[in-house]
Amino acid sequence: AISILTPAHDVARFVGATVDSVLAQDFSEWELVVVDDGSRDNTAEVVAQRRDPRIRLLRQANAGVSAARTRAMADARGDAILFLDADDWLAPDALSRLAAALAAAPEAVGAHGGFAFVAEDARPGDRALRTKPVAGPSGDLLERLLVENLFANGGHLLLRRDALRQAGPFLPHLRYGEDWEYWIRLSLLGPWTAVADTAPVLFVRQRAGSAFHRMARDPAAFAPAMLAIWGNPALEARLGPARFTAIRRRAEAENDWVVGRELIRHGQRAAGLEKLRASLAQAPTPKRAVLLAAAHAMPLLPRALHGPFVAYPG
């Protein structure tokens, strides 16, 4: 059986579609545990309207997404876990495809599938903004995950319950990058496996109020997660001092690139270009050099050619 764990805070607009996507699964052996994390709107009421004995609603005072996920983990009964955000939705065959991939790889800590980004007001069936077929190959993803978070969120990951027991709870003090830190802890325990096909299993809303939209342009937002990741003694023991230092430098450069890109997308072009230049100096690649040149030339280019630096609406 699969436990789908959904922290929910002030998402009454979206959570109905999320729960409905679980009810529509072609895989029936699931439970859905929704933790209403101190919502001030009618999030809990929207969930309660979906009457199915496999759905359980828990309520707690607002404690943050990490605490809500950990609360749901303690209540889960399944052999595998999927963390579904309360504003996203699953493809109808998401659970069956992920379960098949995980069953075929008994050594894997988790299975991952493709995902697609959709507009904030999108509904199932609407056209995706962009699609990422899979986050990476099967196998050891530790070093790739250390450099950047390959996963949109936990909604396209099916995780083995035994691996979660070994990894422990989410860190409650992390408000940004808490999932990235957790995927790295899981990756220290074993490899991942990917679904066989490229169709998305998850549809992710790009919301103006999301943590990424609010925090990814602030270098300080990355600091607590980076401290938790690189302060894990198991990491240096696994990599060795030289490799540990080299990969950390690449991760810091990747963070600078993300901050720079997001600053530009939020209209802070000068500060963004400075971060992009710092990132390229620390970890140069031909692709990033071309993108940096394009970022400098943006005022001369039509919006259609702004690529990853295109401004957010409004």
Side-chain angles (χ1 to χ4, degrees), residues 174-263:
L174 296 184
R175 297 296 179 117
Y176 181 70
E178 79 291 333
D179 54 348
W180 183 26
E181 187 276 336
Y182 200 75
W183 313 147
I184 288 169
R185 262 191 281 156
L186 286 173
S187 299
L188 283 162
L189 299 174
W192 295 79
T193 189
V195 297
D197 56 90
T198 60
V201 299
L202 175 71
F203 295 86
V204 181
R205 291 187 196 272
Q206 288 202 317
R207 290 178 56 202
S210 70
F212 183 86
H213 188 273
R214 290 183 288 107
M215 303 174 76
R217 56 181 154 160
D218 180 9
F222 289 82
M226 288 289 282
L227 186 62
I229 290 167
W230 296 97
N232 185 341
L235 199 55
E236 187 167 3
R238 168 80 168 266
L239 298 173
R243 191 73 181 145
F244 176 93
T245 300
I247 297 176
R248 183 169 187 171
R249 185 177 298 118
R250 287 175 55 203
E252 290 168 348
E254 180 67 26
N255 288 350
D256 279 346
W257 187 269
V258 171
V259 170
R261 182 193 68 210
E262 292 303 303
L263 283 168

Side-chain angles (χ1 to χ4, degrees), residues 61-118:
N62 181 246
V65 65
S66 293
R69 287 192 184 122
T70 297
R71 168 84 185 277
M73 286 165 65
D75 208 72
R77 302 165 183 163
D79 300 315
I81 304 290
L82 184 142
F83 294 103
L84 178 62
D85 284 0
D87 50 0
D88 300 338
W89 72 81
L90 296 172
D93 59 354
L95 296 185
S96 58
R97 289 159 59 203
L98 287 165
L102 192 60
E107 76 288 353
V109 296
H112 61 92
F115 58 92
F117 290 105
V118 296

Side-chain angles (χ1 to χ4, degrees), residues 96-149:
S96 58
R97 289 159 59 203
L98 287 165
L102 192 60
E107 76 288 353
V109 296
H112 61 92
F115 58 92
F117 290 105
V118 296
E120 179 167 349
D121 59 352
R123 293 182 292 183
D126 289 352
R127 184 174 180 177
L129 300 174
R130 65 184 188 279
T131 300
K132 190 164 185 178
V134 288
S138 297
D140 182 359
L141 297 183
L142 177 63
E143 293 194 10
R144 292 186 61 180
L145 273 167
L146 284 168
V147 174
E148 62 175 317
N149 189 355

Side-chain angles (χ1 to χ4, degrees), residues 23-53:
L23 290 166
Q25 291 299 300
D26 62 6
F27 180 99
S28 62
E29 295 298 316
W30 55 262
E31 65 168 357
L32 173 63
V33 181
V34 180
V35 177
D36 180 21
D37 187 38
S39 294
R40 296 158 297 181
D41 63 6
N42 63 328
T43 291
E45 287 73 13
V46 172
V47 175
Q49 290 168 5
R50 273 71 180 172
R51 300 188 181 278
D52 188 293

Side-chain angles (χ1 to χ4, degrees), residues 163-179:
L164 268 65
R165 288 194 184 101
Q166 293 180 64
F170 283 81
L171 299 181
H173 69 283
L174 296 184
R175 297 296 179 117
Y176 181 70
E178 79 291 333
D179 54 348

